[in-house]
Amino acid sequence: MNKINVGIVGATGYVGMELVRILCNHPVFNITRLVSQSYIGKKFSSVYPSFRGIVDMECSERNIDDIAKNCEFVITALPHGVSAALIPALLLKGIRVLDHSADFRYRDVSVYEKAYKLSHPSPDLCADAIYGLPEIYRNSIYNAPLVANPGCYPTCSILGIAPLLSGNFIHKDSIIIDATSGVSGAGRTTDLAFQFCEAESNFKAYGVVGHRHTSEIEQELSFLAGEQLAVSFTPHLAPMKRGMLATIYSKLKTQMSAFELHQEYENFYKDEFFVRVLPLGEYPETKNVCGTNFIDISVFVDEHTGRAIALSAIDNLGKGASLQAIQTLNCMAGIPENSGLRQVAGIS
Amino acid sequence: MNKINVGIVGATGYVGMELVRILCNHPVFNITRLVSQSYIGKKFSSVYPSFRGIVDMECSERNIDDIAKNCEFVITALPHGVSAALIPALLLKGIRVLDHSADFRYRDVSVYEKAYKLSHPSPDLCADAIYGLPEIYRNSIYNAPLVANPGCYPTCSILGIAPLLSGNFIHKDSIIIDATSGVSGAGRTTDLAFQFCEAESNFKAYGVVGHRHTSEIEQELSFLAGEQLAVSFTPHLAPMKRGMLATIYSKLKTQMSAFELHQEYENFYKDEFFVRVLPLGEYPETKNVCGTNFIDISVFVDEHTGRAIALSAIDNLGKGASLQAIQTLNCMAGIPENSGLRQVAGIS
Amino acid sequence: MNKINVGIVGATGYVGMELVRILCNHPVFNITRLVSQSYIGKKFSSVYPSFRGIVDMECSERNIDDIAKNCEFVITALPHGVSAALIPALLLKGIRVLDHSADFRYRDVSVYEKAYKLSHPSPDLCADAIYGLPEIYRNSIYNAPLVANPGCYPTCSILGIAPLLSGNFIHKDSIIIDATSGVSGAGRTTDLAFQFCEAESNFKAYGVVGHRHTSEIEQELSFLAGEQLAVSFTPHLAPMKRGMLATIYSKLKTQMSAFELHQEYENFYKDEFFVRVLPLGEYPETKNVCGTNFIDISVFVDEHTGRAIALSAIDNLGKGASLQAIQTLNCMAGIPENSGLRQVAGIS
Amino acid sequence: MNKINVGIVGATGYVGMELVRILCNHPVFNITRLVSQSYIGKKFSSVYPSFRGIVDMECSERNIDDIAKNCEFVITALPHGVSAALIPALLLKGIRVLDHSADFRYRDVSVYEKAYKLSHPSPDLCADAIYGLPEIYRNSIYNAPLVANPGCYPTCSILGIAPLLSGNFIHKDSIIIDATSGVSGAGRTTDLAFQFCEAESNFKAYGVVGHRHTSEIEQELSFLAGEQLAVSFTPHLAPMKRGMLATIYSKLKTQMSAFELHQEYENFYKDEFFVRVLPLGEYPETKNVCGTNFIDISVFVDEHTGRAIALSAIDNLGKGASLQAIQTLNCMAGIPENSGLRQVAGIS
């Protein structure tokens, strides 16, 4: 099979690095450009020595012509706002783009601009960009020129609660999402708060009320519910590099057993390779999905309060970022969605 | 000042060890007996080598006469059910007892028996035992012969939400407590699930629906609310030794600002040394209370959903167990509550 | 290409699990039997939920006929002594065996018996078993019926110092190996010492003087040196799941620069895919090899004391156990040594 | 007893913070000034929220007159070079100074200047400064105006090997010190290398050959040996916040048993409260000394190579920095050396 050329723009952040880690052994894609403004001319393996002998390619500059000449697909892993300024030029060259920033995740540009406190550089493209959650939008992704990779918390939350909303089992104003992420969610930063001595053995909430992923979650849950809804979303930081768990509370409209809800979940996801609805009564654990594109989901019913409690676990850099991007890229390229993505979590 | 003699029964578990750690430098109490059936005749410092040179006392057997002869106060840190069988004999000898098990925390014995799946060996004592949360029951503790030390999750949850219930600001059927504990909450166990390679870098929920602390929390919140209420409570396990955070959601009855709620919290706890209501907008972090008896609390308002979100952080072995026990012991002995408890968390 | 059938005996320990993790996506090998006495009839994915959907095969019992009927190759990951009792029967059936225990690593049975305090059940096989370090014994491995997978500390130590001994640059009585391992080296145990609350944030030495890997290291270093030698070897335990670093001190016979020694190392390993001699002055870090079969090596010269200092890093479960086993299996099967072994370490 | 006023200059680094943590509950010292150029006018508890309610004092500027008016003793926890420029003015005011930097640790200024690549601002003071290791220099410390607090690696190494050198049991050119530190040794830095995602689950050597603590160790070991000697010293970084272990190899001059050497150690340290020679065969572990001023020491004999192996464990911020500073301060003030320093390590 002919290899398909792909470039990564923003290759030396954690999301970029994780893309390279999977793509360098992918059966179909071939990395042809690693763009990194901070490391132009430097070997990728000098930035990340774990790649020595496997990916010694030099990082190149953000040159549209050069990228266009060498790539059919481009994944952009850039800060919010920077992506939106670059992508129109790539699309004009006929490149199909998967963008990891939040820039093209929103149907309503004003919601984006409020959440990210930015003026959108390319608002016209937003309407046609597809939200890159293959389990929901697969059919639109196949031929899309521009796909927006979802955020980590939204991926974990949306897939965790989708069967409840889709089946109309819950009160739509009752949703509370309590979620926890590993530290890599903050990216390759040097902030004091993410130093080893500050973050290790510590647990805290942050961004209570108004975390920007709230609006992204609400957009997609409203779409699933068929009406506008609002959620309470609270992110937490746990002392681990990777992994994310969402614990999602909602009020059941009518009495249902855990067994019935579990069957609804199994049925909803029965054709999804990457969504694993666990046996009734088992718990997702982040260690079981780390380094992979799986999402593990459980559902419980608290009969004495009438609530459903859904639990979903992903790797924030896996299904929450880079590996989901590759699942979507597989989808865009018309190859099996799990190509190059059959990794299993070990002891890590 | 004359020293007061205290014995610890169940001294070699983590709660017992932490009691010894603080009491061995306490200005008033003097440890006279370290009872441990597993280590009779062994030096305490051979079980915990960190105590070498400080606490080399030998562990002794569970002999009532010997304990009575040597102790005015006894703290029992024993498994549930075992405490209740031992304590009547201690009380008969005139010893004042602080029990760390759940055996005497419940007003209604049947609730205890259902939650702990035990037949209570001394149900008659339950009515007179005091729930050892000094911030709520201080006046009853002073002269009580038997005090029951609260559970870690209940301590963190009750103090986190008390001002909201006490002020009648929230709907009583709307309370959701989402809490996370460090691994030491499981005690000095050898279960596979708590092995380093299984627990490190992992995050999960457990005991969803029906964790036995739910009933203890509901008993105390119902007391504060003046009516029976039910809560959803979900515990999680984070990869750290110590620390606990509760994120508590509830629906406000009327619109209130975060500023107003914050003032209610400050006022409610204005005389409490160990309860630190943080400045508006700041977050509790478990690292700031580890090794101490402090509880750090914040409150937020999510205006777009009408919910209050309270956050409370403790050390599960500190305010959640051993250090709270010493606060209560100070109270029982009529000395300042913070005697020997002024430790501050460092980098740990 | 036809798949080659392989069975794993002792599949549910950490070494076995890691073998399954890599082999389930291997381009040539096909897992046909997962033997585990503890989990007969249980799905492998019920023991390790991370494998759900990928390896749901049931574990089977240790039945020689059944194994022989279904496997061309068998990897045994069993306790010392147990392997040696089982392997003769497998070999009689014509199965080629890669044994992970220490049972067949020794040329001199009496050294083994002294180190492991066991009477060897099959001493006759020892003479023909090959020590499975492909970088040294590749040519003997190709057709061997029985290969003994080296220990983790020996692999890390031998490859770290081989160029110095082979080039005759050092005093042979001057070797000191100071090494550190992650906790998974202790296996899937429930000992108190390896509990999260005991092992996290802790560093210690163990097995000082007389750790049994000392004799294995001395056997191979003596072979390389062409004369019997003795080393001081001190293992340490670091609070991390995986990873091993050896810091190896020796006295130079004559003055040599770091530059010269570095060239010797580069030359010695110039054809080895899995041995990465780092650029002069760079340090191996365990995170750069975790989850992989790479060994990263540096060499320094301490001119003011006349010593060479070699540093080598591996994943104790990777090049130190399971992935090296697969490298050797590739070798035995006559396929490229890096088949299925091109993983790169990410953030884990 | 009258309180003695002490000021801390450089109070908001990790060493400063740890000084405040102990001194705020010290029975004799009273903190009167917390000097921090970065946080002038800010509450100390706003920099470190764990101190809320205990140390809410405001940080002040580096004003000599103000310090002199308010402090009898000053501890300086400043970067190398900065201390030396400030201290003469403090001494002129009659303040007694304990300096945590390396500036006054060296007898030979040229060795300092080479190791630290600085021109010493106050070379004249070096001759009279006392090296603040009370176990060795206690008698000189009592009345010294200026004491230099030792480095963490030197403290751990010197005390670990002192009985061997003092007893003249080893070849003086045979000493190799292989040591490991927790991450807090790097201070309150924001370097990428010490970020949680870079440092967690990782182990590495650094500063191989030429780490500047080598010269400090050599100065003191040469003093103990009565002749100039050189050592090989290799520091490592382990994924934990606190703790340090030194594994020290040397060649015995004559055959001695571990039992004999152990007695020498016990005898050498028989009057030292903070030095705990462990029972023969037991291992120091960093967790047993964390948060304390203890150093735990073992000694082994490797008969088949003729080497002694000494192991010593400290908390790099405890006996390796702040708590040793307070031990020395107690000594300078003529109060018992363990005043305020009887903390025991728990689960942390």
Side-chain angles (χ1 to χ4, degrees):
Chain A
M1 187 186 222
N2 277 345
K3 289 274 189 166
I4 300 173
N5 292 336
V6 60
I8 299 163
V9 180
T12 54
Y14 286 159
V15 169
M17 185 268 260
E18 192 69 7
L19 287 164
V20 178
R21 190 175 76 82
I22 303 300
L23 288 172
C24 73
N25 286 316
H26 194 283
V28 174
F29 292 106
N30 182 38
I31 302 173
T32 47
R33 280 295 176 276
L34 295 173
V35 177
S36 170
Q37 295 295 82
S38 317
Y39 295 99
I40 296 169
K42 296 274 167 58
K43 283 185 181 179
F44 188 76
S45 58
S46 75
V47 184
Y48 288 107
S50 61
F51 285 80
R52 181 182 306 279
I54 303 282
V55 182
D56 293 315
M57 181 186 299
E58 279 182 15
C59 296
S60 58
E61 62 179 330
R62 208 182 291 162
N63 176 320
I64 301 288
D65 287 334
D66 177 64
I67 296 170
K69 215 177 308 176
N70 290 285
C71 308
E72 291 173 64
F73 288 88
V74 162
I75 306 180
T76 44
L78 295 167
H80 311 301
V82 180
S83 273
L86 175 75
I87 286 173
L90 293 171
L91 294 173
L92 274 176
K93 296 283 187 178
I95 296 172
R96 295 176 69 192
V97 177
L98 177 59
D99 178 40
H100 181 65
S101 83
D103 291 353
F104 297 104
R105 292 178 192 159
Y106 286 81
R107 286 182 178 80
D108 181 339
V109 175
S110 70
V111 176
Y112 165 85
E113 295 190 330
K114 190 175 162 210
Y116 286 84
K117 297 177 178 55
L118 288 169
S119 174
H120 201 295
S122 312
D124 298 347
L125 288 174
C126 292
D128 294 330
I130 306 300
Y131 192 74
L133 201 53
E135 286 77 7
I136 309 288
Y137 296 103
R138 185 172 285 122
N139 291 333
S140 306
I141 292 170
Y142 288 134
N143 296 305
L146 173 58
V147 179
N149 204 37
C152 49
Y153 285 120
T155 295
C156 198
S157 304
I158 296 163
L159 295 179
I161 200 171
L164 293 180
L165 280 173
S166 174
N168 197 22
F169 301 129
I170 57 171
H171 291 286
K172 297 191 177 58
D173 63 350
S174 71
I175 301 170
I176 291 173
I177 300 167
D178 192 284
T180 296
S181 175
V183 180
S184 62
R188 196 168 179 248
T189 169
T190 54
D191 289 1
L192 181 64
F194 303 108
Q195 283 289 327
F196 184 85
C197 290
E198 300 293 326
E200 203 262 347
S201 296
N202 191 34
F203 190 81
K204 64 173 177 181
Y206 66 100
V208 174
V209 182
H211 186 281
R212 48 203 195 180
H213 278 176
T214 311
S215 56
E216 186 182 334
I217 293 169
E218 288 178 342
Q219 166 181 289
E220 294 303 315
L221 295 193
S222 299
F223 170 79
L224 287 169
E227 63 182 84
Q228 189 61 33
L229 57 73
V231 304
S232 288
F233 165 65
T234 308
H236 298 75
L237 190 69
M240 57 193 192
K241 289 187 186 172
R242 303 167 74 130
M244 174 170 284
L245 186 86
T247 301
I248 310 172
Y249 303 87
S250 60
K251 199 95 182 175
L252 287 166
K253 282 185 170 166
T254 58
Q255 205 180 318
M256 291 183 74
S257 69
F259 181 80
E260 289 169 304
L261 273 191
H262 182 258
Q263 282 195 312
E264 296 289 340
Y265 269 73
E266 282 203 322
N267 196 50
F268 191 86
Y269 287 124
K270 66 178 185 299
D271 297 326
E272 294 299 336
F273 181 81
F274 292 115
V275 184
R276 303 193 292 200
V277 178
L278 302 186
L280 190 59
E282 292 194 8
Y283 293 98
E285 306 192 25
T286 62
K287 70 179 175 187
N288 290 332
V289 295
C290 270
T292 83
N293 195 43
F294 289 108
I295 177 168
D296 283 359
I297 302 180
S298 292
V299 68
F300 294 81
V301 171
D302 185 350
E303 292 181 5
H304 94 301
T305 63
R307 293 195 181 95
I309 300 169
L311 302 169
S312 52
I314 63 171
D315 179 351
N316 59 300
L317 288 176
K319 182 70 177 165
S322 306
L323 276 67
Q324 172 149 280
I326 295 170
Q327 177 188 1
T328 298
L329 203 67
N330 288 339
C331 198
M332 293 170 81
I335 62 176
E337 269 181 40
N338 65 10
S339 303
L341 290 176
R342 295 179 59 89
Q343 295 82 5
V344 178
I347 300 165
S348 63
Chain B
M1 187 184 219
N2 276 343
K3 288 274 188 168
I4 301 173
N5 292 336
V6 60
I8 300 164
V9 180
T12 54
Y14 286 159
V15 170
M17 185 268 259
E18 192 70 6
L19 286 165
V20 179
R21 190 174 77 80
I22 302 300
L23 287 173
C24 73
N25 286 317
H26 194 283
V28 175
F29 291 106
N30 181 38
I31 301 173
T32 48
R33 280 297 177 273
L34 295 173
V35 178
S36 169
Q37 295 295 81
S38 318
Y39 296 98
I40 297 169
K42 297 271 167 60
K43 282 185 181 178
F44 188 77
S45 59
S46 75
V47 184
Y48 289 106
S50 60
F51 285 80
R52 181 181 307 278
I54 303 282
V55 183
D56 293 316
M57 182 186 298
E58 280 183 16
C59 297
S60 59
E61 62 179 329
R62 210 182 288 162
N63 178 318
I64 300 287
D65 287 333
D66 178 65
I67 296 169
K69 215 176 310 175
N70 291 284
C71 308
E72 291 173 64
F73 288 88
V74 163
I75 307 180
T76 44
L78 296 166
H80 310 300
V82 180
S83 274
L86 175 73
I87 285 171
L90 293 171
L91 294 174
L92 275 176
K93 296 281 187 180
I95 296 171
R96 295 176 69 192
V97 178
L98 176 59
D99 178 40
H100 181 64
S101 82
D103 291 354
F104 297 102
R105 292 179 193 158
Y106 287 81
R107 288 182 177 79
D108 181 341
V109 176
S110 70
V111 175
Y112 165 84
E113 295 191 331
K114 191 175 162 209
Y116 286 84
K117 298 177 177 58
L118 289 169
S119 174
H120 201 294
S122 312
D124 297 347
L125 288 174
C126 291
D128 293 330
I130 305 301
Y131 192 75
L133 202 53
E135 286 79 6
I136 309 287
Y137 295 104
R138 183 172 287 123
N139 290 334
S140 307
I141 291 171
Y142 287 133
N143 295 306
L146 173 57
V147 179
N149 204 35
C152 49
Y153 284 120
T155 295
C156 198
S157 303
I158 296 163
L159 295 179
I161 200 170
L164 293 180
L165 280 172
S166 175
N168 196 21
F169 302 130
I170 57 172
H171 291 286
K172 298 192 177 56
D173 63 349
S174 72
I175 300 171
I176 292 174
I177 300 166
D178 192 284
T180 296
S181 175
V183 180
S184 62
R188 198 167 177 245
T189 169
T190 55
D191 290 1
L192 182 63
F194 303 108
Q195 284 288 327
F196 184 85
C197 289
E198 301 293 325
E200 201 262 349
S201 295
N202 190 34
F203 190 81
K204 65 173 177 181
Y206 66 99
V208 174
V209 182
H211 186 282
R212 49 201 194 180
H213 278 176
T214 311
S215 56
E216 186 181 335
I217 293 169
E218 288 177 344
Q219 165 181 291
E220 295 303 316
L221 296 193
S222 297
F223 170 79
L224 288 169
E227 64 182 82
Q228 188 63 34
L229 56 72
V231 306
S232 288
F233 165 65
T234 308
H236 297 74
L237 190 69
M240 57 192 192
K241 289 187 187 172
R242 303 168 74 130
M244 174 170 285
L245 187 86
T247 303
I248 309 172
Y249 303 88
S250 60
K251 201 94 180 174
L252 287 166
K253 281 184 170 167
T254 58
Q255 207 179 315
M256 291 183 74
S257 69
F259 181 80
E260 288 169 303
L261 274 190
H262 183 257
Q263 283 194 311
E264 296 289 341
Y265 269 73
E266 285 203 320
N267 197 50
F268 191 87
Y269 288 123
K270 63 179 186 301
D271 297 325
E272 295 298 337
F273 181 81
F274 292 115
V275 184
R276 302 192 293 199
V277 177
L278 303 185
L280 190 59
E282 293 194 8
Y283 293 98
E285 307 193 25
T286 63
K287 70 178 174 188
N288 290 333
V289 294
C290 270
T292 82
N293 195 44
F294 290 109
I295 176 167
D296 282 0
I297 302 181
S298 292
V299 66
F300 294 82
V301 171
D302 185 350
E303 292 180 3
H304 93 302
T305 64
R307 291 195 182 96
I309 301 169
L311 301 169
S312 52
I314 62 171
D315 179 350
N316 58 301
L317 289 176
K319 182 69 177 166
S322 307
L323 277 65
Q324 172 149 280
I326 295 170
Q327 179 188 359
T328 298
L329 203 67
N330 288 340
C331 198
M332 293 169 81
I335 62 175
E337 270 182 41
N338 64 10
S339 302
L341 292 175
R342 296 180 59 90
Q343 294 83 6
V344 178
I347 301 167
S348 63
Chain C
M1 188 186 219
N2 277 344
K3 288 275 188 165
I4 300 173
N5 292 336
V6 60
I8 300 163
V9 180
T12 53
Y14 286 159
V15 170
M17 184 268 261
E18 192 70 6
L19 286 164
V20 178
R21 189 174 77 81
I22 303 300
L23 287 173
C24 73
N25 286 317
H26 195 283
V28 174
F29 292 106
N30 181 38
I31 301 172
T32 49
R33 280 296 176 276
L34 295 173
V35 178
S36 169
Q37 295 296 82
S38 319
Y39 296 98
I40 297 170
K42 296 272 167 58
K43 284 185 180 179
F44 188 77
S45 58
S46 75
V47 183
Y48 288 107
S50 61
F51 285 80
R52 181 181 306 277
I54 303 284
V55 182
D56 293 315
M57 181 186 300
E58 279 182 14
C59 296
S60 58
E61 62 179 328
R62 211 182 288 162
N63 178 318
I64 301 289
D65 288 334
D66 177 64
I67 296 170
K69 215 177 310 173
N70 290 285
C71 309
E72 290 174 64
F73 289 88
V74 162
I75 307 180
T76 44
L78 295 166
H80 312 301
V82 180
S83 274
L86 174 75
I87 286 171
L90 293 171
L91 293 173
L92 274 176
K93 297 281 187 179
I95 296 172
R96 295 177 69 192
V97 178
L98 177 59
D99 178 40
H100 181 65
S101 84
D103 291 354
F104 297 103
R105 292 178 193 160
Y106 286 82
R107 287 182 178 79
D108 182 339
V109 176
S110 69
V111 176
Y112 165 85
E113 295 189 332
K114 191 174 162 212
Y116 286 84
K117 300 178 176 55
L118 288 170
S119 174
H120 200 295
S122 312
D124 298 348
L125 288 174
C126 292
D128 294 330
I130 305 301
Y131 192 74
L133 202 52
E135 286 78 7
I136 309 288
Y137 295 104
R138 183 173 286 124
N139 291 334
S140 307
I141 291 170
Y142 288 132
N143 297 306
L146 173 57
V147 179
N149 204 36
C152 49
Y153 284 120
T155 295
C156 196
S157 303
I158 297 164
L159 295 179
I161 200 170
L164 293 180
L165 280 173
S166 175
N168 196 21
F169 301 129
I170 57 172
H171 291 288
K172 296 190 179 55
D173 63 351
S174 71
I175 300 171
I176 291 174
I177 300 167
D178 191 285
T180 296
S181 174
V183 180
S184 62
R188 196 166 180 250
T189 170
T190 55
D191 289 1
L192 182 63
F194 303 108
Q195 283 288 329
F196 185 85
C197 289
E198 301 293 326
E200 202 261 348
S201 295
N202 190 34
F203 189 82
K204 64 172 178 182
Y206 66 100
V208 174
V209 181
H211 186 281
R212 49 202 195 181
H213 278 175
T214 311
S215 56
E216 185 181 335
I217 293 168
E218 288 178 344
Q219 167 181 288
E220 294 303 315
L221 295 193
S222 298
F223 170 80
L224 287 169
E227 64 182 81
Q228 189 61 34
L229 55 75
V231 305
S232 287
F233 165 64
T234 308
H236 298 74
L237 189 69
M240 57 193 191
K241 289 187 186 172
R242 305 168 72 132
M244 174 171 283
L245 186 87
T247 302
I248 310 172
Y249 303 86
S250 60
K251 200 94 181 174
L252 287 166
K253 281 183 169 166
T254 59
Q255 205 180 316
M256 293 183 72
S257 69
F259 182 81
E260 289 169 303
L261 274 191
H262 183 257
Q263 283 195 312
E264 295 289 341
Y265 268 73
E266 283 202 322
N267 197 47
F268 191 85
Y269 287 124
K270 66 178 184 301
D271 298 325
E272 295 299 336
F273 181 81
F274 292 116
V275 184
R276 302 192 292 200
V277 177
L278 302 186
L280 190 59
E282 293 194 8
Y283 294 98
E285 307 192 24
T286 63
K287 69 179 175 187
N288 291 332
V289 294
C290 270
T292 83
N293 195 44
F294 289 108
I295 177 168
D296 282 1
I297 302 180
S298 292
V299 67
F300 294 81
V301 171
D302 184 352
E303 292 181 4
H304 94 300
T305 64
R307 293 195 181 96
I309 300 168
L311 301 169
S312 51
I314 62 171
D315 179 352
N316 58 301
L317 288 176
K319 182 70 176 166
S322 306
L323 278 66
Q324 172 149 282
I326 295 171
Q327 178 188 1
T328 298
L329 202 69
N330 287 340
C331 198
M332 293 170 81
I335 61 176
E337 268 181 41
N338 65 10
S339 302
L341 290 175
R342 296 180 59 91
Q343 295 82 4
V344 178
I347 300 165
S348 63
Chain D
M1 187 185 221
N2 277 343
K3 290 274 188 166
I4 300 174
N5 292 337
V6 60
I8 300 164
V9 180
T12 53
Y14 287 159
V15 169
M17 185 268 261
E18 192 69 6
L19 286 164
V20 179
R21 189 175 76 81
I22 303 301
L23 288 174
C24 73
N25 286 317
H26 195 283
V28 175
F29 291 106
N30 181 37
I31 302 174
T32 47
R33 280 295 177 275
L34 295 173
V35 177
S36 169
Q37 295 296 82
S38 317
Y39 296 98
I40 296 169
K42 296 274 166 60
K43 283 186 180 178
F44 188 75
S45 58
S46 75
V47 184
Y48 289 107
S50 60
F51 286 79
R52 180 182 307 276
I54 303 284
V55 183
D56 293 315
M57 182 186 297
E58 279 184 15
C59 296
S60 59
E61 63 179 328
R62 210 182 289 164
N63 178 319
I64 301 288
D65 287 333
D66 177 65
I67 297 170
K69 214 177 311 174
N70 289 285
C71 310
E72 292 174 64
F73 288 89
V74 161
I75 306 180
T76 44
L78 296 167
H80 311 300
V82 180
S83 274
L86 174 74
I87 285 171
L90 292 170
L91 294 172
L92 274 177
K93 297 281 187 179
I95 297 172
R96 295 178 67 192
V97 177
L98 176 58
D99 177 39
H100 182 65
S101 84
D103 291 354
F104 297 103
R105 294 179 192 159
Y106 286 82
R107 287 182 178 79
D108 182 339
V109 175
S110 70
V111 176
Y112 165 85
E113 295 190 331
K114 191 175 163 211
Y116 287 83
K117 297 176 176 58
L118 288 168
S119 175
H120 201 296
S122 313
D124 297 349
L125 288 175
C126 292
D128 294 330
I130 306 300
Y131 192 75
L133 203 53
E135 286 79 6
I136 309 289
Y137 295 104
R138 183 172 287 123
N139 291 334
S140 307
I141 291 170
Y142 289 132
N143 296 306
L146 173 58
V147 180
N149 204 37
C152 47
Y153 285 120
T155 295
C156 197
S157 304
I158 296 162
L159 295 179
I161 200 170
L164 293 179
L165 280 173
S166 175
N168 196 21
F169 302 129
I170 57 170
H171 290 286
K172 298 193 177 56
D173 64 349
S174 71
I175 300 169
I176 291 174
I177 300 166
D178 192 284
T180 295
S181 175
V183 180
S184 62
R188 195 165 180 249
T189 169
T190 55
D191 288 2
L192 183 63
F194 303 108
Q195 283 287 328
F196 184 86
C197 289
E198 300 294 323
E200 201 264 347
S201 294
N202 190 35
F203 189 80
K204 64 173 179 182
Y206 66 99
V208 175
V209 182
H211 186 282
R212 48 202 195 181
H213 278 174
T214 311
S215 56
E216 185 182 335
I217 293 168
E218 288 177 344
Q219 164 182 290
E220 294 303 316
L221 296 192
S222 299
F223 169 79
L224 288 168
E227 63 183 84
Q228 187 63 31
L229 54 75
V231 306
S232 288
F233 166 65
T234 309
H236 298 74
L237 189 68
M240 56 194 192
K241 289 187 186 172
R242 303 169 74 133
M244 173 170 285
L245 187 87
T247 302
I248 310 172
Y249 304 86
S250 60
K251 201 93 182 176
L252 288 165
K253 282 184 169 167
T254 59
Q255 206 179 315
M256 292 183 75
S257 69
F259 181 81
E260 289 169 302
L261 274 190
H262 182 258
Q263 283 194 310
E264 296 288 341
Y265 269 72
E266 282 202 324
N267 197 50
F268 191 86
Y269 287 123
K270 65 178 186 302
D271 297 325
E272 294 298 336
F273 181 82
F274 292 115
V275 184
R276 302 192 292 199
V277 177
L278 302 185
L280 190 59
E282 292 193 9
Y283 293 98
E285 307 192 25
T286 62
K287 69 178 174 188
N288 290 333
V289 294
C290 270
T292 83
N293 194 44
F294 289 108
I295 176 167
D296 282 1
I297 302 182
S298 293
V299 67
F300 294 81
V301 171
D302 185 351
E303 293 181 3
H304 94 303
T305 63
R307 291 195 182 97
I309 300 168
L311 302 169
S312 51
I314 61 170
D315 178 350
N316 58 300
L317 288 177
K319 183 69 175 164
S322 307
L323 276 65
Q324 172 149 278
I326 295 170
Q327 178 188 2
T328 298
L329 202 66
N330 288 340
C331 198
M332 293 170 82
I335 61 176
E337 269 182 39
N338 64 11
S339 303
L341 291 176
R342 295 179 60 89
Q343 295 82 5
V344 178
I347 301 166
S348 62

